[in-house]
Amino acid sequence: MPDSPYQSISKPISMWDKELQIEDSKALFASLGKAGLHLLGGQFADSAVELVDAFQATGFDRNDIGQLGWVLLRNAMTNAAYKLLEVGLQTLERERANPKNAEAIATDLDTALGNVEIEINRDFFDNPRSLPVVTAYREQYQRFLNAFGFAEKEATDLVAQLPDAFEDELMAEWLRHADVYEPINLYLDAPFMKARERRYEWQKYYQHVKALTTDPMFAEDFGLADVYMPLRGYYLERDEETEEERSVIGQRQKKEVRVVVDLRTELDAWIQKADANDAIRLLSGGPGSGKSSFSRMYAVHLTKRYDLRVMYIPLHWFNPKSDLKSGLADFIDLDPHVPLTENPLESKERLLIIFDGLDELAMQGKVGTQVARDFVDYISYAVNRMNRGAVRLQILLAGREIVVQTNRHKFKREGQILHAVPYFVTEKEEVEYRDDDDLLAQDQRNAWWQKYGQAIDKPYEAMPEALNRADLAEITGQPLLNYLVAFSYVHGELDFTDNVNLNQIYANLLDGVYSRDWEAARREHYLEDLSKTDFIRILEEIGIATWHGDGRATTIDNVRERCEKSGLMPLLKSFREGAEAGVGRLLTAFYFRQQGMRRDGTETFEFTHKSFGEYLTARRLVSALDTMYAQMQSTVPHEVRWDERKALAYWLRLYGNAPRMSFDLAKFIRSEVALRTKEEAKAWQQMLCELISWMLEHGMPMDELNPRLNYAAENQAAIHAEEGLLALLSACAEKTEARSEIAYFRKDRLAAGTWLHRLRGQRTTGAQNLALASLHRLSLRNCNLEIQDLSGADLIDADLRRVDLRRANLRRADLKGADLSGANLWEANLWEANLRGADLRGAYLTGATLPDGTKWEEGRDMREFTDPT
């Protein structure tokens, strides 16, 4: 804790000198016990006054604020104790009273006051019952009353009244001796006090920010700072193309060069430059790329600068719809870790705000994406307005790539958008960068393992050879995933000699939590039996509840509602009992934590990393396929067997009002399906084709929802649920390597195009579309997709025989291995499309724009598309 600018309370030295009229403190406090006898004789009030006046006659230094504050508290607490004793003795039987036994305890009352650190500040009288001395005094007063002869319940009832009595006596003492305590008033109103308070508040806030990097991370005994690796990044430097390199549409294109930088050095230079026209930076990176870790470490780094104030704000705890000043005020008011009493935007001091988690604002699908855009627009406006004349405010925004890309066009200045670079970049990937300082030469994984080894007291000099494999490079190159791999490796619970995906690592961690913590507790016979399947099932419902919320946080009420609908309330009860008993320490520290309470008092829980919630959500959605498939089998009794309508109703209820499935969630789903057998995936694939075919003919059974939503909400819920079915179908096709045949496409040639148009919706700049990315191995033969927007679509190995694609936009579509034989591609846009291995025999290409930007000319050799090099 930094040195406080406030005056600490201390005992008056002269009180313990021989000059005191009262012989010693023990005699003084023993009089509290004797007062009980006076009370029984009707003389209590005189004794109380005698004791208080003795304090006033002790000869303490009345100009010493610390001693004066101590006397004020001592007198108020003593009078409160006497008043409550008077109340209690009115009902205490005389033969039970034993004040002599209380004399030994009475002296401890003074110790309770003397050993507690208290400060005199502007909040001194605002909430005196919360002063730490009240808690300490209550404990000793309970002992005193018990020793005096009060029964446990009687003493507890009296002690419970002590805070109120203390507040009353504190004010009474202040008014009774206003002239004595006047120096405290003068002290609080002294010149420069406000500046001293403000400096102290920032010091305390910086201690909180530092704690974010030093407090134990997950279930470890070390903090982020112990294993943090300085993050590298890059920005895009654009070079004009030559005239010969202009595109077919006549627009000047630009080559983008990735310029590698040390992120901290780059941002330090930006802050030092303090350019009013360049006051915003965006840090972009995928999940687990180290954005949040860097943001926290960088905030701590900057707290050493005295010409700049720094605030670190997780955006999921900030209201993006308010203006910046009021939003910051609300954040300060609601976060107990921010002790600031003044809005930093009201000050003339330079301020850097680090907003971490820009993608948090876009978790609610289209509406959330618009909120994120509006927030970025407003931030730009607010910064420009505040920096007129001199730079007062700079902003660093950190978020996932997809959200940053959506706002990319707003930040055209070179270096405004910085991208996180992995711990490891292969030689093949290095050619994509311009690395003047040779920063990429270091494999940071080795340096990280050295730090990790020191943190866990193991002599690692580099990353273990068992992990230094090409198939793990993508995982170990990312800071968070690298840690998860290390955790599993050190605990020896996962076989890294075989191919491992991220879902297996998460599953291994869950297995470890259950086997090490839960089963051990069950053996101690203080928890009900909860199988591992049920244990994980509850976690999956927490994941779904979070997905339905903002993607990171949810409430216990929402979890309870999910479990009630799923018939899991008994399991939730056992789970909560275990959590309250301290079971699952790794789980609660690693996956989610209690964040606090919302304005209405509801308990909220948040995932420490969104990817944990996404993994659990993916598990739940994939397990839903198991449920639907099992319930639709002919072996199930007819009266309870599900048909397509019942299965889709189950899917709808599971989806609820969830936002659109993100690409990150879809990736976890593909990984989860990849862990299942081909036979399982094949059965699911066939079922999903049947469900989608039924849905296209009859529509989603929205009438099965209870309660019903309004039309707009139901339409949106249906689109999201249908898109989820398509994403799962794509994942199954990827596993089985077989094409998906949706029967209704044969019945209605327009059905596929109509459905894709509905799922795709209106495009926005830079936004990706999950529906178009989920057409992998889909059979669309003979379908009419005329003038369809299929830009960037994943049509790998798709069946596009005799499909009508006239004037369709297939720019940058991946048509690798697709069968386009006999397709009508008249004037279709195939610019930058991947046609490697595509079959174009008999395709009509007149007027089509080809991948190289040229138009199709009669007589051109078709083999360059059927077998491109």
Side-chain angles (χ1 to χ4, degrees):
M1 175 66 68
D3 292 337
S4 171
Y6 308 121
Q7 178 67 56
S8 294
I9 290 178
S10 58
K11 296 179 182 179
I13 300 299
S14 60
M15 268 201 172
W16 313 111
D17 290 347
K18 294 180 180 179
E19 299 174 1
L20 279 177
Q21 297 176 5
I22 300 176
E23 186 176 354
D24 57 33
S25 65
K26 183 175 180 180
L28 178 64
F29 278 90
S31 64
L32 185 61
K34 295 175 183 177
L37 295 177
H38 285 287
L39 175 65
L40 294 176
Q43 301 175 353
F44 174 74
D46 293 339
S47 300
V49 173
E50 177 186 350
L51 181 59
V52 173
D53 288 343
F55 283 118
Q56 304 304 330
T58 54
F60 62 87
D61 184 354
R62 300 193 179 199
N63 294 316
D64 187 318
I65 303 300
Q67 295 183 32
L68 197 60
W70 186 87
V71 169
L72 172 62
L73 287 184
R74 178 72 167 276
N75 290 351
M77 188 62 78
T78 303
N79 259 337
Y82 267 85
K83 293 291 178 64
L84 291 178
L85 184 62
E86 181 179 17
V87 172
L89 287 177
Q90 290 176 4
T91 57
L92 182 68
E93 298 174 0
R94 186 181 182 93
E95 57 271 17
R96 288 167 51 198
N98 197 343
K100 290 187 177 180
N101 286 347
E103 290 185 18
I105 302 297
T107 305
D108 291 339
L109 293 171
D110 178 62
T111 305
L113 279 172
N115 292 342
V116 178
E117 182 179 353
I118 309 168
E119 294 171 339
I120 300 178
N121 54 40
R122 293 183 185 274
D123 298 328
F124 187 73
F125 298 106
D126 287 351
N127 190 19
R129 64 189 301 117
S130 65
L131 291 173
V133 70
V134 178
T135 301
Y137 201 93
R138 284 182 65 169
E139 295 174 0
Q140 296 299 334
Y141 194 48
Q142 177 92 30
R143 292 179 59 203
F144 169 82
L145 292 174
N146 288 335
F148 195 95
F150 287 92
E152 189 69 30
K153 185 180 185 308
E154 294 172 332
T156 300
D157 290 343
L158 287 173
V159 170
Q161 302 175 54
L162 186 63
D164 288 336
F166 172 67
E167 283 190 343
D168 293 341
E169 292 302 323
L170 188 67
M171 186 55 64
E173 173 68 14
W174 178 270
L175 295 174
R176 188 161 50 242
H177 302 288
D179 57 330
V180 175
Y181 299 122
E182 180 61 19
I184 295 180
N185 254 338
L186 297 176
Y187 167 77
L188 292 176
D189 291 333
F192 311 114
M193 171 57 78
K194 189 173 182 179
R196 293 165 64 196
E197 289 177 333
R198 186 167 59 246
R199 184 174 69 251
Y200 180 53
E201 289 170 354
W202 278 104
Q203 288 173 336
K204 289 199 294 185
Y205 174 66
Y206 289 157
Q207 289 295 315
H208 160 64
V209 174
K210 186 177 181 180
L212 296 177
T213 67
T214 58
D215 286 350
M217 56 184 284
F218 305 132
E220 305 285 12
D221 294 326
F222 56 82
L224 169 65
D226 295 309
V227 293
Y228 177 74
M229 286 301 301
L231 208 59
R232 302 168 298 191
Y234 72 87
Y235 64 85
L236 296 175
E237 181 184 74
R238 299 178 180 179
D239 295 328
E240 294 288 345
E241 292 185 340
T242 63
E243 291 292 324
E244 292 76 19
E245 291 174 319
R246 290 185 181 181
S247 73
V248 66
I249 56 176
Q251 293 180 342
R252 185 178 297 277
Q253 298 299 305
K254 296 181 179 182
K255 293 181 179 179
E256 296 180 328
V257 179
R258 296 180 174 185
V259 181
V260 181
V261 295
D262 175 83
L263 280 181
R264 195 174 91 171
T265 303
E266 181 73 11
L267 289 172
D268 280 351
W270 165 67
I271 288 175
Q272 187 66 34
K273 186 178 179 182
D275 184 349
N277 297 315
D278 184 21
I280 299 178
R281 282 289 184 271
L282 276 74
L283 175 58
S284 170
S289 60
K291 305 179 300 297
S292 293
S293 295
F294 173 82
S295 298
R296 295 177 180 186
M297 294 296 296
Y298 190 61
V300 172
H301 161 67
L302 289 178
T303 58
K304 300 173 184 177
R305 291 186 53 147
Y306 296 104
D307 62 334
L308 183 73
R309 296 299 187 194
V310 184
M311 290 206 72
Y312 169 79
I313 301 178
L315 261 173
H316 62 287
W317 290 105
F318 188 87
N319 182 6
K321 296 183 179 180
S322 62
D323 64 87
L324 187 59
K325 186 175 292 186
S326 61
L328 191 56
D330 287 343
F331 173 75
I332 291 172
D333 181 52
L334 293 174
D335 191 336
H337 298 110
V338 183
L340 306 180
T341 54
E342 180 182 73
N343 191 322
L345 293 178
E346 302 283 358
S347 170
K348 294 183 179 180
E349 295 177 296
R350 281 185 60 194
L351 174 68
L352 169 70
I353 301 179
I354 301 176
F355 285 116
D356 183 20
L358 181 59
D359 45 296
E360 307 280 1
L361 305 181
M363 292 304 296
Q364 294 293 331
K366 185 182 296 184
V367 174
T369 301
Q370 188 60 48
V371 170
R373 288 180 187 153
D374 292 344
F375 178 73
V376 172
D377 287 341
Y378 179 74
I379 285 294
S380 300
Y381 163 77
V383 167
N384 289 335
R385 185 174 182 180
M386 290 199 67
N387 288 341
R388 291 174 181 172
V391 175
R392 291 179 50 204
L393 177 64
Q394 289 173 281
I395 301 285
L396 174 61
L397 288 165
R400 290 189 181 182
E401 293 165 337
I402 186 170
V403 180
V404 172
Q405 282 294 105
T406 303
N407 292 278
R408 177 180 175 182
H409 63 285
K410 302 171 186 175
F411 300 94
K412 299 179 180 179
R413 187 183 294 266
E414 189 172 87
Q416 276 193 293
I417 300 179
L418 298 165
H419 304 263
V421 171
Y423 280 166
F424 173 68
V425 177
T426 65
E427 291 183 5
K428 183 179 180 180
E429 293 170 332
E430 281 190 38
V431 299
E432 302 176 8
Y433 298 89
R434 196 187 82 199
D435 186 12
D436 297 337
D437 296 323
D438 210 22
L439 295 174
L440 299 182
Q442 181 189 19
D443 184 346
Q444 289 186 307
R445 297 176 301 176
N446 293 326
W448 184 90
W449 271 92
Q450 290 176 3
K451 287 189 171 185
Y452 183 56
Q454 293 172 0
I456 63 175
D457 199 25
K458 290 183 180 290
Y460 289 115
E461 296 183 0
M463 183 171 68
E465 285 299 318
L467 303 179
N468 194 6
R469 304 188 337 232
D471 61 314
L472 285 178
E474 183 178 356
I475 293 178
T476 57
Q478 299 296 330
L480 173 62
L481 306 187
N482 177 65
Y483 167 75
L484 298 182
V485 168
F487 188 90
S488 294
Y489 178 81
V490 167
H491 287 81
E493 296 168 349
L494 200 60
D495 182 8
F496 284 95
T497 61
D498 199 359
N499 290 334
V500 174
N501 72 21
L502 181 57
N503 287 47
Q504 287 174 286
I505 295 172
Y506 281 158
N508 172 65
L509 292 171
L510 285 181
D511 288 342
V513 170
Y514 181 81
S515 61
R516 283 192 302 271
D517 290 351
W518 201 275
E519 286 195 325
R522 187 158 55 89
R523 285 193 295 270
E524 295 295 328
H525 307 294
Y526 64 86
L527 283 180
E528 297 180 15
D529 188 8
L530 191 67
S531 70
K532 184 171 74 174
T533 300
D534 293 337
F535 177 76
I536 294 176
R537 185 74 174 80
I538 290 292
L539 294 178
E540 291 174 355
E541 289 300 331
I542 294 175
I544 288 288
T546 303
W547 180 42
H548 284 192
D550 62 11
R552 183 190 287 265
T554 188
T555 68
I556 190 61
D557 289 340
N558 290 339
V559 173
R560 186 182 295 109
E561 181 181 355
R562 290 290 324 161
C563 290
E564 284 177 349
K565 290 180 179 179
S566 305
L568 299 175
M569 284 304 292
L571 301 182
L572 178 62
K573 179 176 179 292
S574 296
F575 182 88
R576 293 199 70 186
E577 287 175 354
E580 290 168 0
V583 178
R585 180 176 61 92
L586 173 63
L587 175 74
T588 54
F590 197 84
Y591 282 93
F592 58 87
R593 58 176 175 253
Q594 182 172 350
Q595 175 63 30
M597 291 196 177
R598 294 184 175 172
R599 288 181 182 271
D600 60 0
T602 305
E603 289 180 304
T604 61
F605 297 85
E606 72 167 8
F607 284 94
T608 53
H609 287 81
K610 282 190 299 182
S611 59
F612 301 154
E614 289 163 346
Y615 163 69
L616 290 169
T617 302
R619 280 189 64 130
R620 180 67 184 93
L621 294 176
V622 173
S623 69
L625 296 182
D626 265 332
T627 301
M628 290 189 290
Y629 182 75
Q631 293 294 329
M632 295 180 73
Q633 295 308 296
S634 58
T635 54
V636 177
H638 179 75
E639 60 271 16
V640 294
R641 187 188 312 159
W642 289 2
D643 56 13
E644 289 87 353
R645 178 182 175 84
K646 288 183 178 178
L648 287 172
Y650 170 79
W651 181 253
L652 267 174
R653 287 191 292 269
L654 177 64
Y655 237 78
N657 61 348
R660 271 201 135 122
M661 183 181 291
S662 68
F663 278 81
D664 296 315
L665 176 54
K667 185 176 180 180
F668 275 110
I669 287 175
R670 290 197 302 273
S671 296
E672 191 64 25
V673 172
L675 296 176
R676 302 300 187 99
T677 65
K678 273 195 175 183
E679 289 72 21
E680 286 178 297
K682 184 177 180 180
W684 294 341
Q685 185 177 9
Q686 179 61 35
M687 176 188 68
L688 287 167
C689 286
E690 294 170 1
L691 291 176
I692 291 173
S693 185
W694 190 94
M695 178 273 300
L696 289 172
E697 184 170 4
H698 303 284
M700 272 289 191
M702 306 307 294
D703 55 310
E704 293 284 348
L705 290 180
N706 185 22
R708 292 291 299 269
L709 308 174
N710 61 46
Y711 174 78
E714 286 194 350
N715 181 55
Q716 184 181 64
I719 290 174
H720 293 179
E722 292 167 24
E723 188 177 55
L725 290 172
L726 182 58
L728 280 162
L729 178 63
S730 176
C732 291
E734 188 173 312
K735 174 67 178 181
T736 64
E737 299 180 333
R739 283 179 176 151
S740 301
E741 300 276 352
I742 296 175
Y744 195 72
F745 289 168
R746 308 287 81 80
K747 186 175 181 179
D748 183 353
R749 292 185 66 233
L750 300 176
T754 302
W755 190 41
L756 289 177
H757 181 78
R758 167 179 162 82
L759 297 184
R760 184 190 62 242
Q762 174 61 44
R763 277 192 184 273
T764 54
T765 304
Q768 296 175 282
N769 186 272
L770 182 61
L772 296 184
S774 303
L775 306 180
H776 183 83
R777 292 183 177 271
L778 184 63
S779 177
L780 293 164
R781 67 179 181 275
N782 295 318
C783 289
N784 186 336
L785 300 176
E786 184 179 356
I787 320 179
Q788 281 285 331
D789 180 0
L790 298 170
S791 176
D794 178 359
L795 288 160
I796 295 175
D797 290 322
D799 183 355
L800 299 171
R801 287 175 289 173
R802 298 180 299 280
V803 70
D804 188 347
L805 287 164
R806 287 176 293 174
R807 289 184 173 175
N809 180 11
L810 289 158
R811 182 185 178 187
R812 293 181 178 172
D814 195 342
L815 291 155
K816 180 181 178 181
D819 189 346
L820 284 155
S821 57
N824 188 346
L825 290 159
W826 177 71
E827 292 193 353
N829 182 4
L830 290 163
W831 187 30
E832 296 181 324
N834 179 12
L835 289 168
R836 186 175 296 276
D839 187 348
L840 285 159
R841 289 175 296 181
Y844 187 72
L845 286 160
T846 300
T849 300
L850 303 177
D852 61 1
T854 62
K855 292 281 188 179
W856 172 258
E857 297 177 1
E858 294 295 335
R860 192 165 183 174
D861 192 349
M862 184 67 70
R863 287 177 298 178
E864 65 181 286
F865 299 111
T866 57
D867 186 24
T869 59

